[in-house]
Amino acid sequence: MHKIKNVLIGITGSIAAFKIPELVRLFKKEKFNVKIIQTKSSLDFVSPLTLSVLSENKVLSSTITYEKTWNNHVSLSNWADIFIIAPLTANTLAKMANGQCDNLLLATYLSTKCKTYVAPAMDLDMFQHHTTKTNLLTIEKHGIKVIPAKFGELASGLIGDGRMAEPQEIFNITINKSNPKLKGKNVLITAGPTYENIDPVRFIGNRSSGKMGIEIAKICSDFGAKVNLILGPIAKQFEYDNVTIHKIESAKQMYDTAISLYSDSDILIFSAAVSDYSPEKTNELKLKKKDDFLNIKLKRTKDIILEISKRKNKDQFIVGFALETDNAIKNAKLKLHNKKLDMIILNSLEDKGAGFQKDTNKISIIDKNNNITKYKLKNKSEVAKDIIDNIIKLKYA
Ligand SMILES: Cc1cc2nc3c(=O)[nH]c(=O)nc-3n(C[C@H](O)[C@H](O)[C@H](O)COP(=O)(O)O)c2cc1C
């Protein structure tokens, strides 16, 4: 159960305000009560009608109502268990940093005692401006949690820092961080593909993007865990609070790193797509095109999960992944028992939208008592939350 029930969302005048209906939907789906305050300028960016329908509450935007009554900012701030200001403009940020109070949102902010989060959204130059930087530091110093803006395409067409965090990330950070169920726990995660070199140019690899493991790492961190993420070669840069990234290329490097880290880990989640075979020898020079056929002798790589499950102690919880093309449940159960796992996550290539390089996944969770829970297609962040909730339920509830 969440300790938080009442979520107050403040919206200011940035293009990113159009994403807030999605944030409201995420909270309502999980049965939170949501109330919304909009600044005057934000009314041009997102409709209060949409927000009031989704939140099932009247949206407030001024201290004094049309009928000359008071929208009581003090009772609003007492009602809230958390206050999220998203998007946060440079203008409202500056006022927050200086205690200005010329609208309902700011009056409420000055009265709140609950945890407050802000998700800045600005164009590149505004975000880089020294006043913005100073103001962010000032509010952080006073205990406001800043959900970092991201690098990406901005409304102006420029590319850079200043893009508001996505609603799902805001939801995960605000809710999971307030309920650190994995505080004090160490989690080891493997993610991404491995590359087995044939020569300096060519390799044997696979299509894994690492997205699933990365989302799991984020949720574990949001829940208060310290995470070691052993990450195969992927195109995207990734960094996150309390996640130490160990970059590797080959199955051997992944094995060696996992062996060096496993003993300090409470939960071990093996989501990487590790190559089962590797060339027996790597040519030092690029192989030349010669005959019609080229034979490359492959040898088995070490089975990381099997080796670690042989060595694990009784308090460690091991989760494997199975990606199957046929007889999915039967093969996944076999892997679960042969490798003495506590849980296996099955994703099947037979399911549309599931598997490599997609932003969505459709999984079934099978635990060591053969209980099977099937989930519908969800985005990988939601899937990661389902997996971690299941681990917590089985291991720590
Ligand atoms: C199309 C448009 C987009 C804007 N986007 C942003 C933005 O992303 N971030 C920001 O700080 N200001 C942005 N502004 C400027 C703010 O709307 C302006 O500073 C306003 O006074 C903010 O008021 P508020 O903080 O009370 O909501 C934008 C303005 C326009 C017209």
Side-chain angles (χ1 to χ4, degrees):
M1 264 308 276
H2 297 292
K3 281 182 240 147
I4 295 167
K5 283 207 305 269
N6 297 338
V7 179
L8 182 62
I9 301 178
I11 307 176
T12 68
S14 152
I15 283 277
F18 84 90
K19 293 184 176 173
I20 302 307
E22 172 62 11
L23 181 64
V24 176
R25 193 191 65 79
L26 290 171
F27 280 112
K28 290 299 288 182
K29 208 172 78 181
E30 296 288 328
K31 311 266 182 283
F32 291 93
N33 305 314
V34 177
K35 288 188 181 177
I36 296 168
I37 304 173
Q38 288 194 258
T39 61
K40 287 262 160 29
S41 102
S42 80
L43 298 172
D44 286 330
F45 294 91
V46 59
S47 143
L49 178 61
T50 308
L51 293 163
S52 68
V53 171
L54 291 174
S55 66
E56 299 176 280
N57 267 314
K58 198 171 156 197
V59 172
L60 308 171
S61 58
S62 62
T63 322
I64 298 164
T65 68
Y66 183 70
E67 297 85 16
K68 299 287 173 220
T69 58
W70 177 33
N71 276 326
N72 188 332
H73 61 273
V74 180
S75 64
L76 257 180
S77 54
N78 285 337
W79 172 86
D81 296 318
I82 51 168
F83 187 19
I84 304 168
I85 304 178
L88 172 69
T89 54
N91 177 56
T92 295
L93 167 65
K95 291 179 181 177
M96 285 169 73
N98 290 288
Q100 278 177 260
C101 184
D102 60 2
N103 62 34
L104 179 65
L105 190 152
L106 290 159
T108 310
Y109 167 67
L110 287 183
S111 319
T112 43
K113 287 168 233 50
C114 65
K115 185 83 189 152
T116 301
Y117 295 83
V118 297
M122 276 158 231
D123 210 55
L124 185 58
D125 299 319
M126 273 175 124
F127 193 61
Q128 297 294 346
H129 200 272
H130 65 90
T131 54
T132 304
K133 288 184 177 164
T134 310
N135 291 334
L136 280 172
L137 285 176
T138 303
I139 63 166
E140 263 186 316
K141 203 168 74 196
H142 293 293
I144 306 304
K145 173 71 191 151
V146 178
I147 302 172
K150 306 283 168 220
F151 181 91
E153 204 172 306
L154 303 166
S156 61
L158 295 174
I159 293 181
D161 288 325
R163 200 180 150 95
M164 188 183 78
E166 292 301 318
Q168 184 72 54
E169 187 169 344
I170 297 175
F171 177 83
N172 290 344
I173 289 178
T174 51
I175 292 310
N176 301 340
K177 277 213 165 141
S178 320
N179 194 6
K181 297 178 196 168
L182 293 178
K183 199 174 167 72
K185 303 286 177 235
N186 292 322
V187 182
L188 177 67
I189 300 168
T190 68
T194 62
Y195 285 179
E196 312 304 318
N197 288 340
I198 297 170
D199 64 22
V201 181
R202 306 172 182 99
F203 59 84
I204 297 170
N206 61 64
R207 298 178 205 282
S208 169
S209 62
K211 280 181 192 164
M212 194 63 252
I214 285 175
E215 292 304 328
I216 294 172
K218 287 185 189 171
I219 299 277
C220 291
S221 157
D222 295 344
F223 272 137
K226 279 214 170 93
V227 180
N228 277 306
L229 175 64
I230 308 176
L231 187 57
I234 57 162
K236 266 182 120 180
Q237 280 287 341
F238 169 69
E239 49 183 68
Y240 208 72
D241 268 3
N242 286 321
V243 179
T244 307
I245 297 171
H246 306 265
K247 285 196 175 159
I248 56 89
E249 283 237 330
S250 65
K252 166 136 188 16
Q253 290 166 348
M254 186 170 273
Y255 174 85
D256 291 342
T257 316
I259 291 290
S260 73
L261 294 169
Y262 87 92
S263 61
D264 287 337
S265 312
D266 301 289
I267 301 170
L268 302 96
I269 304 173
F270 296 99
S271 70
V274 185
S275 181
D276 293 329
Y277 289 90
S278 180
E280 190 177 36
K281 81 175 186 37
T282 301
N283 270 60
E284 270 178 40
L285 301 174
K286 186 181 166 202
L287 287 172
K288 294 277 183 282
K289 191 164 39 177
K290 278 195 308 210
D291 306 327
D292 283 352
F293 293 95
L294 169 68
N295 288 315
I296 299 172
K297 197 166 180 193
L298 303 176
K299 66 172 190 312
R300 276 297 309 266
T301 54
K302 280 191 184 156
D303 188 324
I304 301 173
I305 308 183
L306 187 64
E307 288 302 320
I308 288 181
S309 69
K310 275 191 221 158
R311 301 165 195 219
K312 80 159 198 161
N313 69 45
K314 64 174 181 16
D315 293 326
Q316 289 178 310
F317 191 95
I318 301 199
V319 183
F321 270 68
L323 181 70
E324 301 291 340
T325 51
D326 56 293
N327 285 326
I329 298 269
K330 188 172 160 232
N331 288 335
K333 277 187 177 174
L334 218 61
K335 188 169 173 183
L336 175 84
H337 295 296
N338 288 346
K339 299 197 180 184
K340 297 191 172 52
L341 305 177
D342 295 289
M343 181 185 280
I344 194 154
I345 315 300
L346 168 67
N347 36 87
S348 165
L349 281 184
E350 289 163 297
D351 289 319
K352 217 168 157 243
F356 286 158
Q357 293 182 331
K358 306 265 180 7
D359 288 326
T360 49
N361 204 359
K362 186 163 179 260
I363 60 159
S364 301
I365 297 183
I366 312 175
D367 68 28
K368 64 178 172 200
N369 303 319
N370 281 329
N371 299 313
I372 304 179
T373 316
K374 293 185 177 181
Y375 292 86
K376 61 180 177 35
L377 189 73
K378 296 183 177 186
N379 71 44
K380 284 188 172 167
S381 174
E382 290 173 289
V383 173
K385 173 83 171 26
D386 289 336
I387 294 170
I388 299 305
D389 280 345
N390 262 276
I391 296 174
I392 292 170
K393 197 168 85 191
L394 267 176
K395 176 83 182 140
Y396 301 113

